[in-house]
Amino acid sequence: MIGTTIAHYKIIDKLGEGGMGEVYRGHDTQLGRDVAIKVLPDLFVEDEERLARFEREARMLAALDHANIASIYGLEDVDGKRFLIMQLADGETLQERIKRGPVPVQDSLKIARQIAEALESAHSKGIIHRDLKPANVKVDQQGQVKVLDFGLAKAIEGDPTTSGSHPSLMESPTLTAQMTGAGVLLGTAAYMSPEQARGEAADKRADLWAFGVVLWEMLTGNQLFVGKTMSDTLAGVLRDEPSLEALPHETPPSVRRLLRRCLEREVHERLPDAAAARLELED
């Protein structure tokens, strides 16, 4: 696709791919700006009911307006292919940053505060992420954070309350694309809340669990839940107790308390909302 033009978007290069489709850097020839173009999977596009749900959800996501959330610009239909046009976020992903080692405490807290602000803004509009992970967070050279793919997991899976059943873990688009071989560690599984791992409906507190996992990994430089297979990883989510002893000694007591409350397995004992996390980090 590189070098071709879709509608009025010229495809420049490929940025990556995942369960929700391939992502390309494109140039909007009408407005003169670079954008991210996500090509939705064919299996998804062929499901008319799912596509209709996605279009309704995409319209709601397009209304999100926050400095720390990558915006959705539009949805294009060209030759039977569906393309989601999104804001192109500068910088590297948090996943790439963590691979180089622990993020200094003060930098981690600045990044975490911006993620919390993004969650707070979206949650206030009834939108949950459900796939928050380091790969979905970008940080530019000035330390500005952009949370990517906000609400797309819910948009693609649909609202389980409309069908009277809980979403199936095995149907999660972020899992399916990577379930092609034994021994593959699924990044998304490592950030699922216990209730998501059990196939139960998730609310905003699932994002608070993932937020805690991301913050723990920034501070330690290591992945919190690691397994050789998806089943092993999910078993860790359901069973293993996160070690706060692994945190740097200079981690403030209030941040340790914040992490403990974000990583409570029982939903009713977990931190209730992102505003509480933001206030802790601002203090």
Side-chain angles (χ1 to χ4, degrees):
M1 292 185 64
I2 297 173
T4 62
T5 299
I6 305 167
H8 53 87
Y9 300 97
K10 183 176 181 179
I11 306 298
I12 299 174
D13 58 29
K14 188 173 182 179
L15 297 176
E17 60 183 295
M20 294 185 192
E22 298 176 330
V23 185
Y24 296 87
R25 176 190 292 270
H27 183 72
D28 185 337
T29 57
Q30 286 188 349
L31 298 179
R33 64 181 177 185
D34 285 352
V35 297
I37 301 176
K38 184 181 291 289
V39 184
L40 301 180
D42 289 338
L43 182 63
F44 160 71
V45 175
E46 292 167 2
D47 186 333
E48 292 185 4
E49 181 181 354
R50 178 179 284 187
L51 184 58
R53 285 197 305 262
F54 176 79
E55 289 176 344
R56 289 195 299 270
E57 189 77 14
R59 283 193 291 270
M60 182 168 66
L61 295 174
L64 282 177
D65 183 15
H66 192 274
N68 298 121
I69 298 176
S71 302
I72 291 179
Y73 293 150
L75 186 63
E76 299 284 346
D77 184 354
V78 180
D79 298 330
K81 289 275 190 180
R82 284 296 178 119
F83 304 89
L84 193 63
I85 312 302
M86 307 179 70
Q87 180 181 13
L88 182 66
D90 294 326
E92 64 180 351
T93 68
L94 198 50
Q95 182 182 53
E96 293 167 334
R97 174 61 188 85
I98 292 173
K99 282 181 179 179
R100 301 202 303 271
V103 181
V105 172
Q106 291 304 315
D107 292 343
S108 292
L109 300 186
K110 290 177 182 177
I111 292 170
R113 179 179 53 78
Q114 293 179 72
I115 296 174
E117 289 178 355
L119 292 175
E120 182 180 4
S121 176
H123 290 173
S124 70
K125 296 177 175 63
I127 299 172
I128 57 176
H129 197 296
R130 299 207 303 179
D131 196 23
L132 181 65
K133 55 189 176 184
N136 276 339
V137 178
K138 274 208 166 183
V139 185
D140 67 17
Q141 292 184 345
Q142 288 72 44
Q144 174 77 12
V145 167
K146 289 285 186 184
V147 179
L148 313 178
D149 285 358
F150 222 116
L152 290 188
K154 182 176 186 293
I156 288 185
E157 291 176 17
D159 185 352
T161 61
T162 60
S163 62
S165 61
H166 294 315
S168 168
L169 177 65
M170 301 307 292
E171 292 177 356
S172 170
T174 52
L175 289 175
T176 350
Q178 301 181 66
M179 288 170 57
T180 53
V184 176
L185 174 63
L186 301 178
T188 296
Y191 303 93
M192 281 187 170
S193 65
E195 58 270 23
Q196 287 174 291
R198 290 190 293 262
E200 299 171 355
D203 62 19
K204 63 184 179 181
R205 290 168 294 184
D207 283 349
L208 269 295
W209 169 278
F211 171 81
V213 176
V214 170
L215 177 53
W216 190 95
E217 292 185 2
M218 279 196 288
L219 291 168
T220 66
N222 297 309
Q223 191 167 346
L224 181 51
F225 299 107
V226 181
K228 291 183 179 180
T229 66
M230 181 188 70
S231 297
D232 292 334
T233 303
L234 293 178
V237 169
L238 293 170
R239 178 194 63 219
D240 296 345
E241 288 298 326
S243 173
L244 298 184
E245 299 301 319
L247 297 171
H249 70 274
E250 65 269 26
T251 305
S254 59
V255 175
R256 294 175 184 269
R257 182 173 62 249
L258 170 63
L259 282 168
R260 186 173 64 251
R261 295 197 63 199
C262 286
L263 297 174
E264 288 283 358
R265 284 194 170 80
E266 296 300 325
V267 176
H268 65 277
E269 295 179 357
R270 198 175 303 154
L271 200 70
D273 52 52
R278 174 183 57 79
L279 289 171
E280 285 281 6
L281 292 166
E282 285 180 353
D283 286 346

